Amino acid sequence: MSFDTNSWLDNLSVKWKILAPFCFLAGVIGLSLIALFFVAFSRYQDSVVEDRAKHLSSSIVYALETMRYHTELERYVAILGAEVDVDLLLIVDPATEYVFVSNRVAFRESMARDLPDGALASEVVQSIEEPSSRGMLMWGANTASYAVAAPSLRLDGARSRELVIFVRLKTKSVTAQSSGMAQQLAIGLLAALALAMLVASKLLYDLVISPLSKLSAIAHARTVDPETMAPFTRRLDEFGELSRSVLQSFTEARENANRFEIQAQSDSLTGLGNRVLFKERLHMALAHAERSGKIVALMILDLDNFKDVNDTLGHDVGDQLLQRVATILKESSRQVDTVVRLGGDEFAIIADDLDRIDGVLVHANRILTALSEPQMINGHEVHPGVSIGITSYPQDARDPDVLLKNADLALYRVKAEGRGNIQLYRHELHLKVIERNAIERDLRTAITEEQFVLYYQLKVDTETGGIVGAEALIRWRHPERGMIPPDVFIPVAEKNGSICKLTDWVLTEACAEIRRMMDMGLPPVSVAVNVSALDLRRPDFTDQVAATLVRAGVSPKYLEIEVTESTVMHDVDQVIGTLRRLRALGVSISIDDFGTGYSSLAYLKQFPVQTLKIDRSFVADMTDDLNSHAIPQLIVDLARNLGVSVIAEGVETEEQRELLLSMGCGQAQGYLFSPPVPSAAFVEMLEDKVCFPRENKLDESSDSPLPVSVA
Ligand code: C2E
Ligand code: MG
Ligand code: MG
């Protein structure tokens, strides 16, 4: 059997390493003491027996010296022999080998039978003659004999002879008293030894084992702090030294860990916490709120103009702006709130222990106001602006990841609706996302399954009501959801890129429609197609348009492209390039929703535009108040100055038509004339040469008005 002694010993706890040898030593000492005791005790007993034998033989010697008749001696010896501890008393005459005195009445007879007197006498005499064996003779376990030479005596007038006195004692009786005492002494000694061991082990335990186990427990629990360690570190012994070293290394380790943790959890630029700290604090806040039943609010903040600041004023100013924002966020928040920078220009605030959510709105408003103030950085006036999305526990969600998503969604909403605002997460926002995902999924198959249809809305001459063109507007006939308006799916298609396929489909359909009109012998009107920013960034877009026109056999002059104002303001150079190529092809271009996109007039001059479309919100806002006419009037004047046409969208009432007419807006589009209609209804209206208003209907024979934007 192989047995690794070292590892076995190593695995033994120090307690047992100390206690086991200690117990072993105590056992050895105890056993040695007992053995020593027995040796000493038997020696002592021997001396007791010897003393007693000496005493008896001295008495007999004295009697021999003083008594004249051996009968007197016999009586005296009989008295002595009757004592309890005396087994046998003999007076032997070595000359005759005759035993003549015994204490026992029946002695002579028994001696005669078991041991002839002569033999006994010679044995006794022999023992006297051998000096070494003088003294004690052990006869069995329970008796001891003692023989002594007596002086020459003259008894009964006989000649003097040397006699031997033989004493045999019952050792038990002799030592009875002393052994009782010795037993008590032994028990006392053992008890004292046991007590000493107990005291020693208690001391050992208190002084060595207990401090050692406490030290190892402290080290193990890693709750090493100066206060709990004080009883140890104050000591001057090895434990003191050990605990001081342990405390020092733990303190150093903790300081290093703290330093590392702070570094790992903070944002080096702003000094705020980072995403790591954010996650940890959010978990803690939610756990605490679960116990306390309070509310936790989570705010995600995103700077509105950070990219512009970075691009125009440089990264140094950008960095300083982020630091300034960090200070403002800290100052606008409570001490207990967690303010972190999640990355880039995105910040987050966790406000916990709230009774109501209202306080957070006040908090968010305070931040919004502070960040809408211009900031002076390196002599530049910077307008950071911020959008804030807010969600709360437990109303909106209980899971930290879901809460974060909610806040992001609310923030996205603010951004989509024009920035610089606050949005609380609502469940509807979430539903919108779900709907959005469903739309995105269904869009993939919608074209191949021919679920799209193209509607046409007339553009008319504001004064005469004659048809001057049409706008193609896409509709989605969803097999389950019914008709889905473009406002719902166009943004999704723009986001996932499928808008390009949609535009191709619309272009093909619109050109086919123009072809159909021509084939039917109808006077063709130009049809406008809406295109998105992504289309304008396609390098092959112009080729695509040209190919579609060629395939349908339609002249470019009948096609119009509508781009929204915000679309053309992105990647201006690229967009201008595409628009110029389209224009060179012969396609006309109009700017849709004009007035809503804060377009730069400087750029506008560079765009090869033929028409501005006044956004329907300005038309809807027109009332008796002259101020409400200002923007449409401005756009009409601008168009005139730029030498382009102008058309108003969303004209719903006769009053609006008249007002627009009075402003000089030559064309209009809206429900007053016709809603967007399917191809068949559109063709019908063309066939009828419908004129709006009806009373102004043009004469059948008159020429159909030409498209205004024909190049
Ligand atoms: P838009 O290009 O400004 O189109 C005009 C919108 O105003 C159309 O909404 C039209 O139905 C609506 N409208 C016309 N007259 C009136 C009126 O008198 N009152 C009111 N309240 N609304 C009127 P629709 O068809 O829902 O289209 C919405 C937007 O979707 C369009 O705005 C356009 O930006 C986009 N869109 C539509 N079809 C397409 C397309 O094929 N491609 C692209 N990229 N976008 C499209
Ligand atoms: Mg349009
Ligand atoms: Mg429009």
Side-chain angles (χ1 to χ4, degrees):
M1 184 180 75
S2 81
F3 187 72
D4 188 351
T5 317
N6 265 349
S7 71
W8 173 75
L9 270 178
D10 288 347
N11 292 340
L12 207 63
S13 74
V14 171
K15 183 163 77 183
W16 288 111
K17 274 181 189 148
I18 292 174
L19 277 183
F22 177 76
C23 290
F24 176 72
L25 199 68
V28 168
I29 292 173
L31 287 175
S32 310
L33 271 180
I34 291 168
L36 271 176
F37 173 80
F38 276 111
V39 171
F41 181 62
S42 66
R43 289 219 177 129
Y44 170 74
Q45 271 189 331
D46 288 353
S47 71
V48 170
V49 172
E50 195 172 336
D51 282 354
R52 176 74 175 134
K54 268 184 188 165
H55 181 72
L56 280 173
S57 51
S58 317
S59 298
I60 294 166
V61 169
Y62 176 73
L64 282 170
E65 283 170 352
T66 54
M67 287 172 194
R68 285 178 151 206
Y69 304 101
H70 96 280
T71 47
E72 264 179 78
L73 179 69
E74 262 185 48
R75 211 172 41 249
Y76 179 67
V77 170
I79 291 167
L80 286 181
E83 294 202 3
V84 286
D85 51 354
V86 177
D87 189 48
L88 179 65
L89 281 179
L90 294 175
I91 298 172
V92 182
D93 184 349
T96 60
E97 294 184 351
Y98 179 71
V99 178
F100 66 94
V101 179
S102 171
N103 60 322
R104 295 254 178 87
V105 181
F107 177 74
R108 281 172 206 274
E109 295 85 52
S110 76
M111 271 298 177
R113 196 174 59 248
D114 298 339
L115 186 72
D117 283 349
L120 176 67
S122 67
E123 191 182 328
V124 170
V125 169
Q126 194 184 348
S127 76
I128 293 295
E129 282 169 353
E130 282 175 25
S132 65
S133 62
R134 266 173 202 250
M136 287 296 290
L137 293 173
M138 297 303 293
W139 282 11
N142 297 327
T143 55
S145 305
Y146 191 77
V148 68
S152 298
L153 295 170
R154 195 186 297 261
L155 277 176
D156 300 339
R159 68 176 173 91
S160 69
R161 293 195 296 265
E162 196 165 84
L163 303 174
V164 172
I165 301 163
F166 184 78
V167 179
R168 197 166 79 184
L169 294 168
K170 295 177 198 160
T171 49
K172 258 196 180 165
S173 300
V174 179
T175 60
Q177 202 186 349
S178 61
S179 67
M181 274 170 58
Q183 261 175 21
Q184 280 170 8
L185 188 73
I187 291 169
L189 261 176
L190 284 177
L193 179 72
L195 193 71
M197 274 180 56
L198 271 179
V199 171
S201 39
K202 172 90 174 90
L203 277 176
L204 201 65
Y205 187 81
D206 287 353
L207 296 178
V208 181
I209 297 169
S210 163
L212 200 63
S213 5
K214 276 185 193 158
L215 258 181
S216 76
I218 287 173
H220 182 71
R222 299 180 178 276
T223 51
V224 179
D225 71 289
E227 215 168 296
T228 43
M229 292 286 280
F232 296 101
T233 47
R234 273 203 298 264
R235 292 168 70 142
L236 295 177
D237 59 2
E238 285 85 344
F239 283 117
E241 217 164 283
L242 177 68
S243 50
R244 280 190 295 277
S245 320
V246 167
L247 181 63
Q248 193 185 346
S249 40
F250 265 85
T251 312
E252 280 170 11
R254 193 166 39 205
E255 279 170 5
N256 285 342
N258 284 351
R259 211 170 305 131
F260 182 72
E261 199 172 296
I262 289 170
Q263 274 170 6
Q265 294 192 337
S266 68
D267 171 52
S268 54
L269 177 67
T270 59
L272 295 178
N274 62 12
R275 198 174 271 276
V276 178
L277 182 80
F278 168 76
K279 284 195 171 166
E280 191 184 303
R281 291 281 173 86
L282 187 58
H283 270 100
M284 275 163 59
L286 296 186
H288 180 248
E290 194 161 334
R291 289 193 297 275
S292 64
K294 298 264 180 127
I295 295 171
V296 179
L298 171 61
M299 265 189 238
I300 303 287
L301 309 97
D302 195 281
L303 298 186
D304 292 333
N305 305 317
F306 185 67
K307 194 177 174 305
D308 294 344
V309 173
N310 250 352
D311 290 350
T312 53
L313 301 176
H315 287 264
D316 191 35
V317 175
D319 285 355
Q320 287 187 50
L321 174 64
L322 290 174
Q323 286 165 344
R324 186 74 58 82
V325 170
T327 312
I328 292 173
L329 293 184
K330 269 266 173 214
E331 284 170 357
S332 317
S333 307
R334 299 175 304 167
Q335 197 89 41
V336 290
D337 296 338
T338 302
V339 183
V340 300
R341 179 176 167 224
L342 294 176
D345 60 345
E346 201 178 32
F347 294 82
I349 297 177
I350 304 166
D352 66 343
D353 225 11
L354 306 173
D355 292 316
R356 298 156 60 86
I357 192 77
D358 312 16
V360 178
L361 289 175
V362 177
H363 184 178
N365 261 310
R366 203 163 46 231
I367 293 171
L368 201 69
T369 314
L371 289 180
S372 55
E373 298 286 320
Q375 304 289 323
M376 283 305 292
I377 296 173
N378 283 3
H380 300 285
E381 197 178 275
V382 180
H383 297 259
V386 69
S387 300
I388 306 175
I390 305 175
T391 187
S392 67
Y393 166 99
Q395 285 88 338
D396 300 337
R398 292 179 162 268
D399 181 82
D401 291 336
V402 179
L403 278 172
L404 191 58
K405 252 189 229 158
N406 291 351
D408 270 339
L409 197 68
L411 178 68
Y412 174 80
R413 197 83 208 146
V414 184
K415 294 266 176 195
E417 284 173 2
R419 306 170 169 212
N421 213 338
I422 300 165
Q423 172 76 56
L424 272 173
Y425 170 81
R426 293 189 314 267
H427 190 57
E428 300 88 80
L429 291 183
H430 181 63
L431 289 180
K432 275 189 183 155
V433 170
I434 294 177
E435 190 185 21
R436 201 187 157 89
N437 290 341
I439 286 173
E440 196 169 352
R441 188 192 60 220
D442 295 349
L443 261 178
R444 288 184 208 126
T445 50
I447 292 185
T448 49
E449 291 179 6
E450 295 180 351
Q451 291 171 6
F452 292 110
V453 275
L454 211 51
Y455 275 39
Y456 300 89
Q457 186 176 34
L458 298 179
K459 295 179 178 180
V460 302
D461 184 300
T462 323
E463 191 179 0
T464 62
I467 300 169
V468 294
E471 180 177 4
L473 293 161
I474 194 167
R475 299 288 180 266
W476 184 4
R477 262 200 208 113
H478 193 282
E480 286 147 26
R481 294 158 172 260
M483 196 69 97
I484 302 179
D487 287 341
V488 174
F489 65 86
I490 293 288
V492 181
E494 280 176 340
K495 194 112 201 241
N496 74 4
S498 59
I499 187 71
C500 300
K501 273 192 192 162
L502 278 187
T503 305
D504 290 347
W505 180 85
V506 173
L507 273 170
T508 312
E509 272 298 299
C511 290
E513 186 69 24
I514 300 169
R515 182 75 253 164
R516 229 177 350 258
M517 284 189 287
M518 291 162 84
D519 291 348
M520 288 170 77
L522 291 166
V525 291
S526 78
V527 173
V529 166
N530 294 282
V531 301
S532 72
L534 266 186
D535 295 314
L536 297 182
R537 277 193 232 131
R538 284 157 69 185
D540 64 336
F541 184 62
T542 317
D543 299 341
Q544 188 71 34
V545 172
T548 310
L549 286 166
V550 169
R551 265 201 305 275
V554 171
S555 161
K557 65 182 180 186
Y558 295 120
L559 184 65
E560 192 176 342
I561 294 290
E562 286 192 15
V563 286
T564 62
E565 206 183 347
S566 44
T567 301
V568 289
M569 286 302 152
H570 272 106
D571 287 327
V572 175
D573 293 340
Q574 204 176 358
V575 168
I576 287 180
T578 308
L579 293 181
R580 285 199 175 139
R581 280 193 293 279
L582 284 170
R583 186 69 204 113
L585 189 71
V587 174
S588 59
I589 290 151
S590 52
I591 298 203
D592 207 350
D593 306 342
F594 194 78
T596 58
Y598 315 101
S599 42
S600 154
L601 295 180
Y603 279 130
L604 196 59
K605 268 198 340 203
Q606 299 179 37
F607 290 133
V609 172
Q610 282 70 61
T611 310
L612 300 183
K613 291 188 81 174
I614 302 172
D615 189 68
R616 65 174 186 267
S617 60
F618 301 121
V619 176
D621 284 349
M622 286 194 309
T623 59
D624 294 341
D625 182 5
L626 280 177
N627 280 339
S628 65
H629 306 171
I631 296 176
Q633 184 65 69
L634 204 74
I635 299 173
V636 171
D637 294 344
L638 180 70
R640 188 180 305 127
N641 288 334
L642 287 171
V644 299
S645 314
V646 64
I647 177 168
E649 315 179 290
V651 180
E652 293 181 354
T653 63
E654 186 54 32
E655 292 72 43
Q656 287 169 343
R657 186 189 73 88
E658 280 168 10
L659 269 172
L660 287 163
L661 188 62
S662 68
M663 286 177 194
C665 177
Q667 296 174 18
Q669 180 183 349
Y671 295 168
L672 175 66
F673 314 108
S674 163
V677 291
S679 161
F682 172 56
V683 170
E684 213 173 287
M685 284 194 277
L686 285 178
E687 279 174 340
D688 288 354
K689 290 223 176 77
V690 179
C691 218
F692 306 94
R694 288 260 172 197
E695 53 274 23
N696 291 345
K697 191 175 174 180
L698 288 174
D699 185 51
E700 286 269 320
S701 59
S702 71
D703 281 348
S704 290
L706 285 173
V708 285
S709 51
V710 171

